[in-house]
Amino acid sequence: QLQLEESGGGLVQPGGSLRLSCAASGFTPENYVIGWFRQAPGKEREGVSCISSAGISNYADSVKGRFTISRDNTKNTVYLQMNSLKPEDTSVYYCVAGSKLSSLLLRPDRYDYWGQGTQVTVSS
């Protein structure tokens, strides 16, 4: 069974940066697309970014140019570097894993595993 553990959330000022980490363990995590979704109170779940083991990535329009996803297959860890953070980025961020390449479409139904989430708050 695949396990996902997020870290790196916290409080940051607008315009600041934060890096989230997702450590994956279990059965061949390198066979999974791993990414991030977020959900803020009163808002729908939103796919943020994802990356395959081969390095193919996808981003939501709202974060393009500001967020960068990367993957270290040796460490089975995926990172989300978040720059130029805005108050609207405030959300609980969930690490997710999907067993099919179609997970790159950032559709929640294509993901099999979800982490517990880590809170990101952007406020002055």
Side-chain angles (χ1 to χ4, degrees):
Q1 184 176 355
L2 191 69
Q3 299 181 56
L4 304 171
E5 183 178 0
E6 306 103 325
S7 62
L11 175 65
V12 66
Q13 291 185 301
S17 298
L18 208 60
R19 189 178 76 161
L20 304 183
S21 298
C22 175
S25 61
F27 188 69
T28 58
E30 61 268 23
N31 292 337
Y32 289 79
V33 173
I34 299 178
W36 299 88
F37 278 71
R38 66 186 183 185
Q39 188 166 26
K43 296 185 178 180
E44 294 183 349
R45 187 186 307 121
E46 177 188 22
V48 178
S49 185
C50 61
I51 187 169
S52 72
S53 61
I56 303 171
S57 61
N58 193 16
Y59 296 88
D61 289 340
S62 59
V63 306
K64 287 181 179 178
R66 299 189 298 119
F67 291 9
T68 302
I69 194 168
S70 61
R71 181 166 180 164
D72 187 336
N73 289 326
T74 301
K75 298 180 179 180
N76 292 323
T77 301
V78 171
Y79 305 95
L80 185 67
Q81 179 66 46
M82 305 185 295
N83 298 326
S84 302
L85 283 163
K86 305 174 181 179
E88 51 262 45
D89 294 318
T90 296
S91 187
V92 177
Y93 285 71
Y94 298 90
C95 184
V96 297
S99 60
K100 298 178 175 61
L101 193 60
S102 62
S103 298
L104 286 167
L105 297 173
L106 280 175
R107 287 159 39 185
D109 57 297
R110 304 306 298 172
Y111 287 88
D112 306 302
Y113 299 96
W114 293 68
Q116 294 297 114
T118 184
Q119 177 70 49
V120 172
T121 302
V122 184
S123 177
S124 59

